[in-house]
Amino acid sequence: MQATITLTITTGKLAGKTYTFDQRTNFILGRSDDCDLSIPDEFYRRVSRYHCVLDINPPEIKIKDLGSLNGTYINKHKIGQRESNQAAKDTISSELPEYELKDGDEITLGDMVLRVTIENNVKVNSHDQNDQVALPKPNNYQPKLKPNNTETAKISNVAKTLIKLANEDNKNLALLCNYELIKLIGKNSFGEVYLVQHNQTRATAALKIMIPSVVEEESRIKKFAQEIENLQTLKHPHIVDILGYGYGEKVFFILMEYHKLGNVCNLMKQLGGKIPVPMALGIILQVLDGLNYAHSQEVPYIKLANGNVNKGKGLLHRNLKPDNILLSTINRKLVAKVSDHGLAKSFYIAGLSGQAVTKIKKDGEPLFIPRQQVLKFQECKPDVDVWASAACLYNMLTGCLPRDFGNEPWLDVLQNDPVPIRQRDDSIPTRLAEVIDLALVEKPHIHFQSAAAFKQALVESIT
């Protein structure tokens, strides 16, 4: 049986109303209509528009005050509140703490009290799974790469151990047999990415290692494995190909295409912080082609409206940013490919990251996501990826983020509207700027509902 968390309102006109969760989500409470629990003024007083947020990862649950006027209380102990002379929008200047909750705790917001009930009946995985997919034999022979001492020093013990055990015939790591670690090429809060080379074929690949931060649970591991299998069905010129994956030694590992030119962020640095309009448009139009394909492709594991998992259409990225747009050249033309298609978000949603959504750092997701994804990220639609692609284009052209951010980026997404692009750089062509600004509209909904529609508007703006 899966772990569940139930919130029960125990006071006032809504007393007895319950909310039950069996998977990872964030749950915002406040007076605003777009909160997950919208609290009517006439029922409960002294509740702020965005009062607090719960990070729910059954059986774990954490709470954070969002700079409320009257404070959030746990068992009558205040855990957060803005200063009386502070406006709500000014609370972003100081980061507010987060607290873990336990079974039986009571949350008080103004006149409302909610009781937390945690039921923890989970099946713990006691063995390594062998969810392997055979690696296609590459037909391109390359010179043998030699890792230098400086690069070798950056390779983690986890990565070294995986390769060592793979070459000692560990059946769960068979996919990695005959590979050699060359260098670390990327690192974030979810894991590491290495350049590896096959000792026999000399083919290079990118090896992503993702280490769960929570106890091994078979249901969580299975859920994330299904997400990777979904990615393997995506075969498109502008989506990075997944060559194979596996799970062993309590670590997920994924072999992917390697792109020597790096990502859009690398290109921006090489060009002084911005990318010229023709080149940036060429990149984002290819990205939109990849997104349009992914959003309509049939994949084996989709959660349906009735809660069952079955075949379905449409795979969202949910974490598109310049770091995840990889570059290469084919026939001397720049080719862009979307990488990590939903991997980080799937890792988080599966409850494997152990990371709270409110603790996302500056190099992470909130910089390129719309407010809809913060408020209802379990119910996201393709338009959130379209918005993110517009944010990436904005960043490429200006070197700036669409929003202004402070110390609470998660809250900034809710409170700060995107800045019109020509206020960042007035050299952006007017018609193009109008389309980009339109693509970043979030209220009451995201303007462009599909990647194809945004692409068409961009093309028309420059013709």
Side-chain angles (χ1 to χ4, degrees):
M1 181 180 174
Q2 216 169 357
T4 62
I5 290 176
T6 301
L7 303 175
T8 304
I9 300 175
T10 62
T11 61
K13 292 186 178 181
L14 297 181
K17 188 172 180 60
T18 62
Y19 301 83
T20 300
F21 308 87
D22 61 4
Q23 60 183 322
R24 185 140 205 186
T25 189
N26 59 289
F27 194 72
I28 301 174
L29 297 85
R31 287 188 292 107
S32 179
D33 291 339
D34 53 11
C35 288
D36 297 286
L37 174 51
S38 181
I39 303 169
D41 278 333
E42 64 269 25
F43 288 3
Y44 299 93
R45 297 171 298 167
R46 302 188 298 121
V47 176
S48 297
R49 290 187 69 246
Y50 298 108
H51 197 103
C52 66
V53 59
L54 299 172
D55 182 63
I56 299 171
N57 183 21
E60 299 170 356
I61 177 171
K62 299 176 183 178
I63 187 170
K64 179 176 183 177
D65 184 85
L66 294 177
S68 64
L69 178 62
N70 294 299
T72 302
Y73 293 77
I74 302 300
N75 303 326
K76 299 183 180 180
H77 171 72
K78 185 166 66 177
I79 63 162
Q81 180 183 15
R82 71 174 185 257
E83 298 295 330
S84 58
N85 59 350
Q86 260 187 322
K89 63 184 179 64
D90 296 329
T91 59
I92 60 174
S93 62
S94 58
E95 187 172 350
L96 297 166
E98 188 174 54
Y99 294 85
E100 292 189 10
L101 298 174
K102 59 184 183 297
D103 184 50
D105 280 348
E106 290 192 337
I107 306 167
T108 302
L109 295 72
D111 299 331
M112 173 178 279
V113 177
L114 299 98
R115 186 178 63 249
V116 178
T117 303
I118 302 174
E119 295 185 4
N120 185 13
N121 298 304
V122 297
K123 184 177 180 180
V124 178
N125 189 43
S126 58
H127 62 279
D128 286 332
Q129 294 185 342
N130 190 19
D131 295 326
Q132 304 276 344
V133 177
L135 178 66
K137 293 183 179 179
N139 55 17
N140 54 329
Y141 188 86
Q142 301 181 32
K144 180 172 176 57
L145 301 175
K146 295 182 179 180
N148 59 49
N149 292 335
T150 302
E151 295 295 348
T152 301
K154 298 177 183 178
I155 297 174
S156 71
N157 289 332
V158 172
K160 292 176 182 176
T161 299
L162 286 180
I163 296 298
K164 178 177 180 293
L165 292 176
N167 289 308
E168 292 174 355
D169 296 326
N170 183 308
K171 65 178 183 178
N172 290 322
L173 306 174
L175 185 66
L176 304 181
C177 185
N178 289 316
Y179 274 98
E180 181 180 6
L181 292 160
I182 304 301
K183 64 178 180 178
L184 176 71
I185 56 177
K187 188 174 183 179
N188 59 30
S189 57
F190 293 109
E192 304 161 341
V193 184
Y194 292 92
L195 170 62
V196 296
Q197 185 175 43
H198 198 277
N199 288 325
Q200 296 175 356
T201 66
R202 300 290 190 261
T204 55
L207 170 63
K208 177 179 282 287
I209 296 172
M210 303 182 79
I211 307 170
S213 299
V214 297
V215 64
E216 269 193 298
E217 291 178 14
E218 191 170 315
S219 62
R220 293 182 179 186
I221 292 168
K222 180 181 178 181
K223 185 173 183 178
F224 185 60
Q226 289 175 344
E227 294 287 350
I228 303 176
E229 289 185 34
N230 282 342
L231 297 187
Q232 285 195 299
T233 68
L234 301 182
K235 304 297 178 184
H236 189 272
H238 299 301
I239 295 178
V240 171
D241 199 15
I242 301 291
L243 305 177
Y245 80 95
Y247 178 78
E249 301 301 310
K250 302 182 180 180
V251 173
F252 279 101
F253 50 91
I254 306 166
L255 276 175
M256 304 178 291
E257 286 182 283
Y258 172 63
H259 291 267
K260 191 174 182 180
L261 293 184
N263 57 40
V264 164
C265 285
N266 302 137
L267 180 61
M268 291 174 67
K269 290 177 183 177
Q270 293 169 14
L271 297 177
K274 301 179 186 179
I275 298 177
V277 170
M279 184 181 291
L281 277 174
I283 291 171
I284 212 65
L285 292 178
Q286 294 177 63
V287 167
L288 289 169
D289 282 342
L291 292 177
N292 190 55
Y293 165 83
H295 291 163
S296 59
Q297 175 71 2
E298 183 176 85
V299 294
Y301 301 105
I302 290 288
K303 189 171 183 179
L304 306 178
N306 61 9
N308 295 330
V309 176
N310 209 329
K311 287 184 180 180
K313 283 193 174 183
L315 197 60
L316 305 186
H317 194 295
R318 297 177 296 190
N319 190 29
L320 184 67
K321 53 187 177 181
D323 308 65
N324 289 336
I325 302 173
L326 303 188
L327 303 172
S328 60
T329 55
I330 298 178
N331 297 326
R332 302 182 68 180
K333 291 184 178 180
L334 190 64
V335 176
K337 292 198 176 191
V338 178
S339 178
D340 282 6
H341 208 101
L343 272 179
K345 280 293 184 183
S346 297
F347 198 66
Y348 169 80
I349 291 172
L352 294 170
S353 70
Q355 182 182 17
V357 69
T358 54
K359 290 296 182 183
I360 299 170
K361 294 189 172 67
K362 277 282 185 181
D363 60 351
E365 293 85 349
L367 307 185
F368 293 91
I369 67 172
R371 66 195 310 273
Q372 284 84 347
Q373 192 168 334
V374 171
L375 290 165
K376 304 284 184 182
F377 80 89
Q378 290 277 16
E379 303 170 17
C380 287
K381 297 179 180 179
D383 57 1
V384 301
D385 287 345
V386 180
W387 193 98
S389 70
C392 290
L393 179 57
Y394 185 114
N395 184 239
M396 283 189 270
L397 293 174
T398 66
C400 302
L401 298 168
R403 299 183 209 276
D404 292 326
F405 285 94
N407 292 332
E408 286 285 347
W410 189 88
L411 191 54
D412 291 331
V413 175
L414 294 177
Q415 296 184 339
N416 298 347
D417 292 331
V419 177
I421 192 169
R422 282 175 61 87
Q423 289 186 24
R424 305 288 201 198
D425 186 340
D426 60 11
S427 70
I428 306 297
T430 302
R431 288 181 63 199
L432 174 61
E434 289 172 351
V435 171
I436 295 173
D437 288 341
L438 201 58
L440 293 173
V441 168
E442 304 165 288
K443 301 172 184 177
H445 53 74
I446 294 172
H447 182 82
F448 291 110
Q449 296 290 295
S450 71
F454 182 35
K455 178 183 178 181
Q456 182 179 352
L458 286 174
V459 171
E460 290 176 354
S461 75
I462 56 173
T463 55

